Amino acid sequence: MSADLPLVLGLETSCDETGVGIVRGEELLVDAIASSVDEHARFGGVVPEVASRAHLEAMVPTLERATREAGVRLDDLDAIAVTSGPGLAGALMVGVAAAKALAVALGKPLYGVNHLASHVAVDIVEHGPLPEPTLAMLVSGGHSSLLLVPDVTHDVRSLGSTIDDAAGEAFDKVARVLGLPFPGGPHIDRAAREGDRVAIDFPRGLTAGRDMDRHRFDFSFSGLKTAVSRWVQAREAAGEPVPVADVAASFQEAVTDVLTRKAVLACREHGVENLQIGGGVAANSRLRAMAQERCDAAGIKLRVPRPGLCTDNGAMVAALGAQMVLKGRAPSDLSLPADSSMPVTLVQS
Ligand code: KG4
Ligand code: ZN
């Protein structure tokens, strides 16, 4: 039975993770990752050239590890999927070139897919078929989007997105202000556990008055970041210690409050009963808990993949590729580009 289901390899290189995943139908066989995050830490952010070089070095060993662990031969694959965008141009190019080389050498169909749609599709290997439609909230270092997803293989609609910093970017910048290492999200998450969420009333961007008319499902985190920074500077100027745990908890509360409030509102107004959260920030423990509480109260079913599948990985690309094959979508042309600014509404290139 399972031998009839498509065996799909997924390559992900849009940022600092070299991900190679293999999926059979809707079952995850392996999720191999090599990360260059440690090489970026001292710069306080991902350095594109360093990331591209690291992808080049990691691609073949990660591919070998994935096939070995899954007990799969490249010849057995039914299709190859790759993130064709959005992301860092040079980094994307490594994955796209590798995928094209594999597709040509093995004579297999190639699917160039959208990184954001892949963050949505990954939940299929975790929790089964995606309800149609699903409301998806993607919160990562590069994106914060609310998407209406009637069909993840070809119909993804944008309801709103950040007008300045992405949610993960705000976590990373606030972590820096607090002297915590990069990437800051997990460190803020940890510090916040010891802190008081209501210690400081930080602003909730784009949630009131006319902003809700003009930017109903958009986000803004730059004002929040500045507010945290000013608050910390004022304490330091007064010669008082900075209560890192309280600042982390109060900041995290502001971000998760806005994200979950807008996601639930979008579900209500679009008559959607299923919310899925993905992207690196979906690993945040407070976001997961608050989303669950608010979805329960609103009668919405919440799906969030395990933290390891929320951050960038190859399994998500393989998962979307397998859906493409299952739904009979035509493969991409071998000339497909690495498209650093691929729009979220374009699932396949
Ligand atoms: O999806 P991802 O791995 O890469 C991008 O496509 O950006 O997301 C990385 C982002 C970083 O900004 C990181 O700080 C954030 O996800 N992140 C978290 C947590 N784990 C990762 N943010 C908040 N809480 C976490 N536990
Ligand atoms: Zn991502």
Side-chain angles (χ1 to χ4, degrees), residues 67-224:
T67 48
R68 192 171 59 241
E69 284 177 16
V72 160
R73 291 180 323 142
L74 289 175
D75 254 346
D76 299 335
L77 295 170
D78 294 303
I80 316 253
V82 62
T83 304
S84 52
L88 304 170
L92 287 168
M93 240 176 265
V94 178
V96 168
K100 286 181 182 178
L102 284 168
V104 171
L106 299 165
K108 309 286 181 184
L110 174 65
Y111 291 83
V113 298
N114 191 302
H115 178 81
L116 300 170
S118 302
H119 269 303
V120 181
V122 74
D123 200 48
I124 295 171
V125 298
E126 182 91 322
H127 295 117
L130 209 60
E132 296 180 342
T134 283
L135 204 304
M137 179 164 72
L138 291 186
V139 276
S140 71
H143 302 273
S144 310
S145 299
L146 276 174
L147 307 171
L148 179 61
V149 186
D151 180 343
V152 72
T153 65
H154 84 130
D155 190 1
V156 175
R157 303 173 198 175
S158 174
L159 301 180
S161 57
T162 180
I163 61 168
D164 41 57
D165 292 350
E169 201 178 343
F171 271 93
D172 296 339
K173 287 177 176 169
V174 164
R176 199 171 186 172
V177 168
L178 293 176
L180 299 170
F182 173 85
H187 296 280
I188 292 204
D189 198 344
R190 214 167 299 131
R193 283 182 203 150
E194 314 295 322
D196 178 0
R197 295 171 200 149
V198 295
I200 311 149
D201 188 17
F202 285 129
R204 270 70 167 157
L206 304 184
T207 53
R210 291 205 12 230
D211 281 342
M212 274 307 271
D213 299 332
R214 277 185 302 158
H215 292 289
R216 196 162 195 78
F217 298 123
D218 290 328
F219 303 106
S220 166
F221 297 110
S222 145
L224 170 60

Side-chain angles (χ1 to χ4, degrees), residues 26-99:
E26 298 185 342
E27 183 197 354
L28 177 60
L29 302 188
V30 73
D31 179 26
I33 290 182
S35 178
S36 62
V37 67
D38 293 344
E39 293 173 54
H40 307 288
R42 69 193 168 100
F43 301 106
V46 175
V47 183
E49 289 79 3
V50 174
S52 307
R53 167 65 56 181
H55 285 308
L56 266 180
E57 288 168 2
M59 180 54 73
V60 172
T62 311
L63 180 63
E64 283 172 350
R65 180 154 57 90
T67 48
R68 192 171 59 241
E69 284 177 16
V72 160
R73 291 180 323 142
L74 289 175
D75 254 346
D76 299 335
L77 295 170
D78 294 303
I80 316 253
V82 62
T83 304
S84 52
L88 304 170
L92 287 168
M93 240 176 265
V94 178
V96 168

Side-chain angles (χ1 to χ4, degrees), residues 276-335:
Q276 198 229 312
I277 309 184
V281 181
N284 185 266
S285 60
R286 181 64 184 142
L287 176 61
R288 296 169 84 96
M290 193 190 281
Q292 191 63 63
E293 272 168 37
R294 291 184 174 180
C295 282
D296 286 347
I300 295 165
K301 281 189 223 83
L302 176 67
R303 293 167 51 131
V304 196
R306 76 182 101 113
L309 291 180
C310 287
T311 45
D312 289 350
N313 62 79
M316 63 195 226
V317 183
L320 181 53
Q323 288 299 305
M324 294 285 192
V325 177
L326 285 166
K327 292 211 173 189
R329 306 253 159 242
S332 306
D333 193 88
L334 268 180
S335 65

